[in-house]
Amino acid sequence: MRAHEVNFDGLVGPTHNYSGLSYGNVASEINSSDLSNPKAAALQGLQKMKALHDLGFKQGVIPPLARPSIQALRDIGFSGSEAEVLQSAYLRSPILLAAASSASSMWTANACTVSPSADTQDSRVHFTPANLNAKFHRSLEHRETGRILQAIFNDENHFAHHAALPAVAQFGDEGAANHTRFCAEYDREGVEFFVYGRVAFDESQDKPKRYPARQTREACEAIARLHGLPEQRVVYAQQKPATIDAGVFHNDVIAVGNRNVLFYHEEAFLHTESVLANLQHKLQGASLIPVCVRNDEVSVLDAVQSYLFNSQLLTKPNGKMLLVVPHECREVTQVSNYLDKLIASGGPIDEVKVFNLTESMKNGGGPACLRLRVVLTEQERLAANPGVMMSETLYQQLTQWVNKHYRDRLTQADLADPALLQESRTALDELTQIMRLGSVYPFQ
Ligand code: SUG
């Protein structure tokens, strides 16, 4: 049975803005309060999806969450009519209004962790929405995300959906941003690689000093148990604490893997040698190809600035791999030079494609953050909701939809505008019809 990797990109929502909500994510801090352009953000994302679809890659779309979340504001004590809730949140705590309005669900690498059916004990695809409880604005996502995932993968013969892990820091879970799957072929059993920032129940272990470690080892282990992953198919690794302190808030900012290739920076992991040996030992039917970028080639700082590793590594029909990078990689000289050297090296990666994703990048979200990888057999793909699969028609419909409903500038003050709430609801209501998703939003 053949299987493919399908990339499900998050469609950017109508309230996309820059609020500096993610301490430890350098771009989010730097660009705080900049004017955002939700229309451009959504169109940039759609152009990437369409370009990859046109190249023959399987591409899906995950709709945005309903924002601002009036319920989230009510839960923390703002009251009155919806317009009053927005206004009093803006006057008393604009940062909380921004949190309830964030379009952060666009970064679907954080939506959940997915284990393909070839890896799981019950041979179903397993999904666990990430609790994202390191940041208030992101902790608001998982229930709605779970509902959307269930509407897309709605067949319990093929798909198993779990609830998010307990909402405490000790089970901090950031989803697929810290999870990679290695395999010989997509339909063969793979090795699931879980990367964490700290061990929650052992304070004596190394952890970052400056920035938070969002993912715990305990969360990784819980997901492996929930998904029914046998021990011989799981490898755990810890991020270097100093690398988190340099701005690497998720592992996908410093490493990316596909099939039997791991493209990573030498400062990514603690005990790299034993991690690689472990992956090699557990990988069946192929040799692991580690592509290590050394400090003297690209510094961690340049990796964070350019988002070199927040790239998509995709297998082309000829078996070689394409690296999808943000255009910032061509603006940092060392990184650009490295890319030229990489594709000329005769290794597994022989092509680079550059995309303009500036609107998302300014919040610390590159090509890899914007997509959730779901390996599906053909049968599973047919069982998933066809309305979310990219096509010429869907691209045209979504582009028109964005042009019709989205604003091209948004300030912090605009988030309190009740008209924005109504515009978003009207847009999302229409979107569920375009994508044939049924009622997935709390307002529907
Ligand atoms: O969680 N930024 C996101 C970026 C997520 C990137 N995802 C991956 N690396 N997979 C975050 O830090 C910033 C929002 C703001 O500041 O307005 C934000 O949420």
Side-chain angles (χ1 to χ4, degrees):
M1 197 191 307
R2 291 187 59 208
H4 288 98
E5 175 182 285
V6 187
N7 281 270
F8 287 86
D9 278 46
L11 183 55
V12 178
T15 59
H16 158 66
N17 72 95
Y18 303 116
S19 291
L21 299 172
S22 284
Y23 178 67
N25 166 346
V26 181
S28 150
E29 285 178 56
I30 292 176
N31 297 304
S32 177
S33 301
D34 267 18
L35 194 69
S36 67
N37 184 338
K39 185 179 280 185
L43 294 176
Q44 285 171 357
L46 279 169
Q47 279 149 15
K48 170 168 89 74
M49 296 182 224
K50 178 62 164 41
L52 295 179
H53 163 80
D54 287 349
L55 287 170
F57 298 106
K58 305 261 179 276
Q59 181 69 54
V61 189
I62 295 188
L65 300 185
R67 295 290 181 269
S69 170
I70 297 293
Q71 190 56 51
L73 293 171
R74 290 199 192 283
D75 288 346
I76 51 175
F78 296 104
S79 57
S81 67
E82 292 188 329
E84 284 163 353
V85 166
L86 292 170
Q87 191 57 25
S88 61
Y90 178 61
L91 292 177
R92 286 201 252 159
S93 182
I95 193 79
L96 291 178
L97 174 62
S101 306
S102 178
S104 54
S105 67
M106 72 174 84
W107 301 297
T108 50
N110 305 117
C112 65
T113 306
V114 188
S115 295
S117 53
D119 298 351
T120 61
Q121 255 147 11
D122 66 1
S123 299
R124 292 191 294 168
V125 186
H126 283 246
F127 299 85
T128 300
N131 61 26
L132 296 172
N133 72 331
K135 306 286 172 202
F136 174 58
H137 69 295
R138 304 225 60 187
S139 74
L140 304 173
E141 294 174 31
H142 67 86
R143 270 189 204 88
E144 284 168 79
T145 298
R147 218 176 297 143
I148 288 175
L149 290 172
Q150 296 199 31
I152 298 175
F153 303 102
N154 181 15
D155 179 342
E156 58 184 37
N157 292 320
H158 293 294
F159 308 118
H161 294 273
H162 304 275
L165 296 180
V168 288
Q170 287 157 318
F171 280 105
D173 173 24
E174 299 279 316
N178 294 321
H179 176 256
T180 311
R181 176 182 188 252
F182 298 98
C183 59
E185 301 283 342
Y186 291 122
D187 56 359
R188 299 271 306 274
E189 66 185 40
V191 182
E192 300 207 9
F193 182 43
F194 289 88
V195 181
Y196 56 90
R198 70 186 179 105
V199 183
F201 286 86
D202 183 353
E203 293 294 344
S204 69
Q205 300 276 327
D206 244 9
K207 54 176 176 273
K209 295 184 173 58
R210 181 179 180 206
Y211 287 145
R214 298 195 197 181
Q215 179 99 26
T216 68
R217 179 170 173 121
E218 290 80 353
C220 299
E221 290 172 344
I223 288 172
R225 276 191 298 271
L226 285 165
H227 291 196
L229 302 177
E231 208 171 305
Q232 71 272 17
R233 290 189 201 148
V234 179
V235 172
Y236 301 100
Q238 184 171 351
Q239 278 187 284
K240 270 198 181 167
T243 303
I244 296 179
D245 280 337
V248 180
F249 57 101
H250 287 139
N251 178 59
D252 68 4
V253 176
I254 202 75
V256 58
N258 175 43
R259 285 182 57 157
N260 60 335
V261 175
L262 172 60
F263 178 53
Y264 71 104
H265 192 278
E266 73 168 304
E267 300 294 340
F269 312 112
L270 280 179
H271 316 301
T272 310
E273 286 310 311
S274 70
V275 169
L276 295 179
N278 218 347
L279 286 172
Q280 178 58 80
H281 173 68
K282 294 186 174 179
L283 180 60
Q284 301 293 307
S287 297
L288 184 79
I289 306 180
V291 180
C292 176
V293 182
R294 295 186 321 267
N295 264 322
D296 60 358
E297 294 172 300
V298 174
S299 65
V300 173
L301 217 67
D302 282 349
V304 171
Q305 212 195 322
S306 64
Y307 261 39
L308 167 64
F309 296 94
N310 199 260
S311 46
Q312 289 179 251
L313 192 53
L314 301 169
T315 303
K316 299 189 286 185
N318 68 3
K320 288 285 191 179
M321 293 190 193
L322 162 71
L323 195 69
V324 171
V325 301
H327 80 79
E328 284 75 0
C329 284
R330 285 296 184 196
E331 284 169 359
V332 178
T333 312
Q334 248 197 327
V335 172
S336 186
N337 293 343
Y338 174 81
L339 283 174
D340 292 338
K341 208 172 72 182
L342 176 73
I343 53 179
S345 68
I349 305 168
D350 74 344
E351 192 182 343
V352 168
K353 271 212 173 301
V354 180
F355 285 89
N356 176 6
L357 298 162
T358 320
E359 286 286 324
S360 167
M361 283 288 286
K362 285 177 66 181
N363 258 336
C369 302
L370 286 162
R371 61 91 175 98
L372 176 71
R373 293 182 286 188
V374 187
V375 168
L376 296 171
T377 63
E378 277 168 26
Q379 225 181 1
E380 289 158 357
R381 190 150 47 87
L382 292 173
N385 189 327
V388 302
M389 296 308 297
M390 182 49 78
S391 63
E392 184 64 46
T393 313
L394 185 62
Y395 176 72
Q396 295 303 341
Q397 286 175 315
L398 294 180
T399 302
Q400 276 166 22
W401 172 83
V402 169
N403 281 320
K404 174 172 159 198
H405 294 286
Y406 280 47
R407 299 189 184 187
D408 59 11
R409 48 171 285 147
L410 210 58
T411 61
Q412 301 304 105
D414 292 332
L415 299 175
D417 179 2
L420 181 68
L421 175 70
Q422 289 318 322
E423 283 163 34
S424 302
R425 287 181 180 170
T426 306
L428 295 185
D429 199 40
E430 199 176 307
L431 183 66
T432 52
Q433 293 164 42
I434 295 173
M435 296 176 77
R436 300 195 292 281
L437 284 169
S439 298
V440 290
Y441 295 114
F443 66 84
Q444 286 182 311

